[in-house]
């Protein structure tokens, strides 16, 4: 089906490129959707409001189309294109006149976006001759920037102190320092050394999030690219090489604008980073980045979930030591209350109203010669404040408390003997009665101050701890790796909070497709937690955590082991380590027979793009990019370079957890080969005869091992999410994996 859609799109491109062969349906005004709106309304009326009509609307994504029509010139062409794909399928019934009318009007509207994209592609073609070989002066300027940033870092860490020397050793400073010299000659080996240094700077190591480190890392990246092109220019004319990169950008951008794939978007981002580093065509770089600037991570949390997780009972007993109307008051006060949270609309931060509603019961004795008054006090109070949360700061505002105290006098007793007791107590009762209202007023105001002071102190401690966790645990890793999003938006509204981000370095792009709207089945259901991840978010992170890692197995009775400069959590991943929960067999137990046909193997992942995920049609395709594969065949070591393994898993809900079941055969393809565009006559992407033979051999071995229970598992189960302090896990209410997006919706138990 995807192949057929590709042919349809190819025919559309040919038709648009040659008007005498193309379609005659044209839109005079690029933003005039009147004809489309009329055709869609007619179709809706014709298919009716019953189950059949709703099924058609769901299949044709009519709700999404109407949303794009309402946006007018701000409509997203990617979504419009996806809807058009549905109308172009060979589904029975779509040849009826009312469907055809919508398809033609939709196609005419989509062509206007295509024409805008063609303008962008033409800009790429026009920029092919923008390159000027890097000169001595350009390299000197960039080298000076590198030197200054490194000197600032060196000064910040203490110059030649022991602390500084330890840092320099870790950062491989001796490999970096030669590049500071004015007459230093750049070589292939020195560039490889820079790559080693940069990898240290980009590790998730505490301290590397400091701006002095990140600025130096960025200077190294920029200098490294410029130095490579400078060294190349000393030997050859670099203009043809640059032109070939722009031609590849033309090809990959065209593909991405039609049907984005992991391979095409990867190449677009990589070449954009090159153009950016060389300082060429800044307007073109900006335009392409803007075209693929949608956030690729979206998290929504409902007010119901925030309140359910944040609300808690409050109980506290404190001694009372006070003075009211010149009377010394002693006793105890017990506070019982309930803490609740509510979201407040805010466009550029998360704002929460925190409210504490409670009751204070006090038992006190008041001393004012010559009497002692025992009383029982009841104070109802409401205390509220607001919290503002953003990447820049977490802020709590002073609370406002309203309290009302009522006092029941239990006894009034004279002190110092019985002489005149009745008279004095009678007078005291009268005075207490007369001053009761004033005393209650004073007690109410004092209660307000005490409640507010304690409330503010505890909230300040809580938000300080939360900020500490954010700055110490969540934010720094992304900063260290150069992946902290340039676009990070936090907002709150009446229904909850929303966080969205764009995870992409300057050598990567995000997506042109916004997060999908709720499916019709889920439109009436409230998701307390809605997480939407675009494949580009994961794929942009992988080079940082997996670059250069290797996996190998030497013996059949030993688990594969992961090696290289990778995070510890990845090394300890359960698929690669023995399961400690499995009971060990006794010494006299019969050993599992060793596979006599086992052959050792090892592979090294690529540095620039070691792995990727693709989300589509309720499936996840994992692509592992192998720089070097070693196997033992017929007693001799066989080495193959630049081959990728593709494993597809279909997603299912498993209760409240997830189940991934392998779908189809494992594929092997040369690194970078894009199966989506195989057979498209525009690109002529083909495998050589040798590649076909190697592919068949690899796939045969991979699938044979998988069938025997080795290698990639048949099923992977992800358990339900268990929140701290809750017995029941979150309920999985929505699961969708399509068009590059993975959507998971959860409800509270």
């Amino acid at each position: 089906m995807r192949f057929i859609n590709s042919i349809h799109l190819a025919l559309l491109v040919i038709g648009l490129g040659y008007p005498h062969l193309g379609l005659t349906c044209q839109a005079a005004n690029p933003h005039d959707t009147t004809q489309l709106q009329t055709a869609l309304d007619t179709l809706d009326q014709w298919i009716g409001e019953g189950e059949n009509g709703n099924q058609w609307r769901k299949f044709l994504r009519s709700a999404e189309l109407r949303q794009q029509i309402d946006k007018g010139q701000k409509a997203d062409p990617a979504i419009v294109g996806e809807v058009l794909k549905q109308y172009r399928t060979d589904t029975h019934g779509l040849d009826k006149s009312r469907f055809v009318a919508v398809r033609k009007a939709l196609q005419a509207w989509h062509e206007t976006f295509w024409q805008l994209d063609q303008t962008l592609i033409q800009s790429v073609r026009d920029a092919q001759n923008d390159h000027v070989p890097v000169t001595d002066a350009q390299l000197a300027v960039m080298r000076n920037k590198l030197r200054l940033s490194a000197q600032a870092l060196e000064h910040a860490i203490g110059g030649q102190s022991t602390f500084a020397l330890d840092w320099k050793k870790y950062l491989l400073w001796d490999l970096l320092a030669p590049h500071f010299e004015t007459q230093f000659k750049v070589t292939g080996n020195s560039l490889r050394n820079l790559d080693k240094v940069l990898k240290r700077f980009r590790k998730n190591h505490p301290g590397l999030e400091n701006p002095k480190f990140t600025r130096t890392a960025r200077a190294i990246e920029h200098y490294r690219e410029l130095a490579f092109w400078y060294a190349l220019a000393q030997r050859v004319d670099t203009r043809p090489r640059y032109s070939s990169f722009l031609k590849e950008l033309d090809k990959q951008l065209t593909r991405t604008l039609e049907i984005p794939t992991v391979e095409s978007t990867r190449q677009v981002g990589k070449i954009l980073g090159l153009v950016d580093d060389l300082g060429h065509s800044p307007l073109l770089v900006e335009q392409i980045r803007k075209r693929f600037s949608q956030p690729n991570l979206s998290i929504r949390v409902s007010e119901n979930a925030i309140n359910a997780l944040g609300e808690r009972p409050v109980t506290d007993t404190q001694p009372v030591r006070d003075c009211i109307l010149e009377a010394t008051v002693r006793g105890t006060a017990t506070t019982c209350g309930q803490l609740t949270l509510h979201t407040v609309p805010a466009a550029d931060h998360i704002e929460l109203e925190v409210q504490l509603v409670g009751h204070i019961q006090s038992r006190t004795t008041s001393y004012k010669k010559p009497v002692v008054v025992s009383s029982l006090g009841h104070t109802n109070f409401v205390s509220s404040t607001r919290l503002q949360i953003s990447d820049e700061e977490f802020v709590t505002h002073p609370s406002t408390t309203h309290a009302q105290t009522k006092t029941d006098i239990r006894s009034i007793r004279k002190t110092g003997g019985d002489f005149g007791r009745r008279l004095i107590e009678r007078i005291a009762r009268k005075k207490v009665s007369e001053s009761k209202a004033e005393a209650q007023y004073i007690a109410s105001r004092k209660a307000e101050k005490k409640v507010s002071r304690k409330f503010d102190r505890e909230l300040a401690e809580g938000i300080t701890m939360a900020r500490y966790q954010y700055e110490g645990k969540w934010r720094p890793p992304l900063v260290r790796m150069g992946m902290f999003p340039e676009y990070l938006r936090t907002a709150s509204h009446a229904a909850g909070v929303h966080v969205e981000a764009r995870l992409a370095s300057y050598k990567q792009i995000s997506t042109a497709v916004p997060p999908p709207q709720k499916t019709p089945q889920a439109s009436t259901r409230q998701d307390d937690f809605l997480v939407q991840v675009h494949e580009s978010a994961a794929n942009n992170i992988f080079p940082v955590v997996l670059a250069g890692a290797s996996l190998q197995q030497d013996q059949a009775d030993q688990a594969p082991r992961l090696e290289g400069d990778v995070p510890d959590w990845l090394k300890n991943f359960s698929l690669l380590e023995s399961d400690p929960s499995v009971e060990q067999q006794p010494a006299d137990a019969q050993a599992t027979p060793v596979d006599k046909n086992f052959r050792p193997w090892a592979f090294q992942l690529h540095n620039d793009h070691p792995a990727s995920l693709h989300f589509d049609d309720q499936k996840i395709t994992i692509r592992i990019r192998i720089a070097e594969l070693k196997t033992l065949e017929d007693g001799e070591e066989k080495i193959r370079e630049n081959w990728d393994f593709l494993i597809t898993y279909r997603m299912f809900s498993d209760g409240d957890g997830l189940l991934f079941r392998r779908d189809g055969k494992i594929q092997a393809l040369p690194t970078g080969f894009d199966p989506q565009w195989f057979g498209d006559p525009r690109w002529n992407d083909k495998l050589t005869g040798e590649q076909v033979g190697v592919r068949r051999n690899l796939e045969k071995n991979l699938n044979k091992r998988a069938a025997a229970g080795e290698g990639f598992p048949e099923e992977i189960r992800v358990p339900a999410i268990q929140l701290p302090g809750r017995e029941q896990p979150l309920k999985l209410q929505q699961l969708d994996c399509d068009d590059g997006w993975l959507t998971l919706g959860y409800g509270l138990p």
Side-chain angles (χ1 to χ4, degrees):
M1 184 63 68
R2 299 297 295 272
F3 175 75
I4 293 173
N5 290 340
S6 299
I7 297 298
H8 285 173
L9 287 173
L11 292 175
L12 172 61
V13 171
I14 294 172
L16 290 172
Y18 299 92
H20 61 280
L21 296 176
L23 300 165
T24 59
C25 186
Q26 301 290 333
N29 183 344
H31 308 305
D32 183 7
T33 57
T34 304
Q35 184 178 358
L36 174 59
Q37 181 75 61
T38 301
L40 190 59
D41 290 342
T42 302
L43 174 62
D44 264 351
Q45 185 177 6
W46 182 62
I47 61 179
E49 299 296 331
E51 180 63 24
N52 182 62
N54 290 333
Q55 289 295 326
W56 271 115
R57 275 183 282 272
K58 175 186 173 183
F59 174 75
L60 296 173
R61 301 169 68 167
S62 296
E64 293 178 67
L65 176 57
R66 289 190 181 277
Q67 288 176 347
Q68 297 305 313
I69 292 174
D70 291 341
K71 291 181 179 180
Q73 61 182 2
K74 294 183 179 180
D76 190 289
I79 295 181
V80 176
E82 291 295 325
V83 175
L84 180 58
K85 281 169 55 179
Q86 297 301 99
Y87 278 88
R88 286 176 171 165
T89 61
D90 56 359
T91 303
H92 179 70
L94 286 180
D95 56 343
K96 302 294 184 181
S97 61
R98 290 172 180 83
F99 290 107
V100 172
V102 175
R103 186 183 73 234
K104 287 184 177 180
L106 181 58
Q107 185 170 289
W109 189 35
H110 188 250
E111 286 174 14
T112 64
F113 294 109
W114 185 89
Q115 291 162 3
L116 294 175
D117 287 341
Q118 284 301 104
T119 301
L120 185 59
I121 293 171
Q122 185 60 47
S123 298
V124 174
R125 294 169 182 168
D126 294 341
Q128 290 182 13
N129 297 319
D130 283 359
H131 177 65
V132 177
V134 179
T135 64
D136 292 338
Q138 287 177 295
L139 184 63
V141 170
M142 187 50 58
R143 176 172 281 152
N144 187 53
K145 289 182 179 179
L146 173 62
R147 184 189 302 115
L148 291 175
S149 64
Q151 289 174 348
L153 171 59
E154 190 174 19
H155 177 74
I157 61 179
Q160 297 301 315
S161 66
T162 302
F163 179 77
L165 292 176
D166 288 342
W167 263 116
K168 287 182 177 180
K169 181 179 179 181
Y170 173 78
L171 295 172
L172 305 177
W173 201 266
D174 57 329
L175 300 181
L176 174 64
H179 290 271
F180 304 157
E181 301 298 327
T182 304
Q183 300 302 321
F184 178 75
K185 184 178 180 180
V186 178
T187 64
N189 189 51
S190 70
L191 292 176
R192 285 189 289 272
N193 286 339
L194 274 184
D195 292 335
K196 296 176 183 178
V197 174
L198 184 59
K199 192 169 184 180
R200 288 294 178 94
F201 269 88
R202 289 304 190 192
K203 277 200 69 175
N204 185 20
H205 186 81
L208 290 176
E209 70 276 9
N210 184 288
K212 291 289 195 302
F213 288 97
T214 56
R215 278 196 287 268
T216 304
R218 183 66 186 94
I220 294 172
E221 288 175 329
H222 201 166
Y223 168 82
R224 194 258 181 244
E225 193 67 63
L226 210 67
F228 167 79
W229 283 84
Y230 172 81
L232 188 64
Q234 304 307 301
R235 298 184 288 107
V236 298
D237 183 0
T238 54
R239 287 172 292 186
R241 184 184 181 98
Y242 182 83
S243 179
S244 69
F245 274 107
L246 269 290
K247 289 177 181 177
E248 183 66 18
L249 178 60
D250 177 1
K251 172 182 176 179
Q252 300 299 340
L253 182 61
T254 301
R255 289 178 167 185
T256 302
L257 290 170
E258 290 186 27
I259 304 176
T261 69
V262 171
E263 290 302 317
S264 64
T265 55
R266 176 176 73 90
Q267 292 289 350
V268 169
K270 183 178 179 180
I271 299 172
L272 273 188
L274 163 65
V275 177
D276 194 3
D277 274 333
L278 292 176
H280 298 334
S281 314
L283 181 58
L284 174 63
V285 172
E286 180 183 353
Q287 289 174 333
I288 296 178
R289 292 198 191 284
K290 186 176 180 181
R291 182 68 175 81
F292 301 95
S293 61
Q294 290 288 341
N296 52 16
L297 175 64
S298 175
I299 301 173
R300 295 180 183 271
V301 183
S302 72
E303 184 188 62
N304 176 56
I306 293 172
N307 197 40
L309 296 175
E311 69 175 352
R312 58 182 175 86
V314 176
T315 58
D316 184 43
T317 299
Q318 295 286 337
V320 176
R321 301 176 63 87
D322 210 336
C323 181
I324 298 178
L325 296 178
E326 300 180 355
T328 301
V329 182
R330 298 289 185 269
T332 59
T334 300
T335 302
C336 296
Q338 185 72 20
L339 188 72
T340 59
L341 296 92
H342 303 280
T343 54
V344 179
D348 58 356
H349 62 272
I350 294 173
E351 190 158 341
L352 302 175
E353 181 180 27
V354 186
Q355 191 174 77
L356 178 62
V357 179
H359 173 78
I360 303 173
Q361 180 174 293
S362 59
R363 295 181 181 273
T364 59
T365 301
S366 301
Y367 301 90
K368 185 175 181 181
K369 291 183 178 181
V371 297
V372 176
V373 180
S374 297
S375 59
L376 182 64
H378 298 273
T379 302
N380 294 319
F381 67 87
V382 177
S383 187
S384 62
T385 187
R386 289 193 176 185
L387 305 179
Q388 292 182 346
I389 300 172
S390 66
D391 175 58
E392 291 78 18
E393 59 182 356
F394 292 7
V395 177
T396 176
H397 295 279
S399 62
T400 301
T401 304
H402 298 284
Q404 184 67 45
T405 301
K406 292 185 178 181
T407 305
D408 295 331
I409 306 301
R410 310 303 295 269
S411 67
I412 299 177
R413 304 187 312 275
K414 175 184 177 296
T415 60
D418 289 337
F419 180 74
R421 177 176 62 83
R422 291 183 179 179
L423 176 61
I424 292 173
E425 289 179 354
R426 185 168 60 249
I427 295 172
R429 287 191 183 92
K430 182 178 180 181
K431 288 187 175 182
V432 168
S433 178
E434 292 173 350
S435 61
K436 184 177 181 179
E438 184 180 3
Q440 290 181 152
Y441 176 83
I442 294 173
S444 298
R445 304 293 80 77
K446 286 180 175 287
E448 290 173 351
K449 291 181 180 179
K450 290 180 179 179
V451 169
S452 286
R453 188 161 54 244
K454 185 174 179 60
F455 191 35
D456 290 344
R457 182 175 65 251
E458 293 184 352
L459 280 179
E461 291 174 355
I463 203 168
T464 299
M465 180 58 68
R467 184 69 190 185
Y468 176 79
Q469 290 286 330
Y470 177 73
E471 292 186 339
K473 185 177 181 180
W474 302 108
R475 194 179 195 275
L478 292 176
V479 176
R480 295 165 190 155
M481 296 184 295
M483 288 297 298
F484 190 81
E486 290 186 6
Y487 173 80
L488 173 62
R489 179 174 176 266
T490 54
S492 55
H493 45 85
V497 302
H498 183 204
V499 179
E500 60 181 15
R502 183 173 60 245
L503 294 173
S505 72
Y506 79 103
K507 289 186 176 181
Q508 299 166 332
I509 61 173
S510 176
T511 175
V513 182
Q517 302 295 317
K518 271 197 169 187
T519 59
Q521 300 95 321
S523 60
T524 59
R525 186 172 56 236
Q526 172 68 48
D527 288 318
D528 290 310
F529 300 91
L530 183 66
V531 180
Q532 296 179 292
V533 183
H534 189 264
E535 59 192 31
S536 62
N539 297 337
N540 290 345
I541 289 287
F542 283 153
V544 180
V545 298
L546 285 176
S550 65
L551 187 66
Q552 65 184 67
Q553 186 176 12
D554 300 323
Q555 297 181 19
D557 57 349
Q558 293 180 355
R561 65 180 187 274
L562 182 66
E563 296 182 345
D565 192 9
V566 297
D568 290 339
W569 63 265
L570 198 56
K571 289 185 177 180
N572 297 329
F573 190 54
S574 60
L575 291 177
L576 305 178
E577 299 287 343
S578 59
D579 189 346
S581 65
V582 177
E583 297 182 2
Q584 299 297 318
Q585 291 184 335
D588 59 351
Q590 184 176 359
T592 302
V594 177
D595 182 4
K596 295 181 180 180
N597 296 321
F598 173 80
R599 290 174 294 182
W601 57 269
F603 62 72
Q604 182 93 15
L605 296 180
H606 267 279
N607 276 314
D608 59 343
H609 212 77
S612 67
L613 300 178
H614 177 51
F615 304 140
D616 191 49
D617 193 25
Q618 300 304 110
K619 299 177 185 178
I620 293 182
T621 299
I622 305 170
R623 184 163 187 159
I624 300 177
R625 293 178 172 81
I626 299 171
E628 184 180 81
L629 172 65
K630 296 181 181 179
T631 57
L632 192 64
E633 300 178 13
D634 299 326
E636 295 184 2
E637 185 179 70
K638 183 74 173 180
I639 299 178
R640 296 185 177 90
E641 296 181 341
N642 300 320
W643 279 89
D644 298 352
F645 298 159
L646 285 75
I647 314 96
T648 299
Y649 286 91
R650 184 173 289 277
M651 290 186 65
F652 302 92
S653 59
D654 183 27
D656 290 323
L658 299 174
L659 172 64
F660 298 84
R661 181 174 295 138
R662 201 169 64 236
D663 187 83
K665 300 291 186 180
I666 300 173
Q667 298 183 66
L669 288 171
T671 293
F673 189 87
D674 198 338
Q676 173 65 54
W677 295 98
F678 179 75
D680 191 306
R682 288 174 295 173
W683 315 119
N684 197 31
D685 288 353
K686 296 180 180 179
L687 298 179
T688 65
E690 181 182 359
Q691 288 174 330
V692 171
V694 173
R695 181 190 185 194
R696 288 174 179 170
N697 186 43
L698 285 174
E699 290 183 349
K700 177 182 177 181
N701 291 332
L702 285 169
N703 287 288
K704 182 179 179 181
R705 292 178 62 90
E710 302 175 3
F712 303 103
E714 179 72 23
E715 291 186 346
I716 301 174
R717 295 181 185 273
V718 179
I721 298 175
Q722 190 82 42
L723 293 178
R726 287 186 170 261
E727 296 181 0
Q728 300 296 323
L730 293 178
K731 294 182 178 295
L732 180 61
Q733 299 182 157
Q734 185 178 178
L735 169 60
D736 188 54
C737 180
D738 200 22
D739 294 332
W741 281 96
L742 173 63
T743 298
L744 297 172
Y746 290 92
L748 290 172

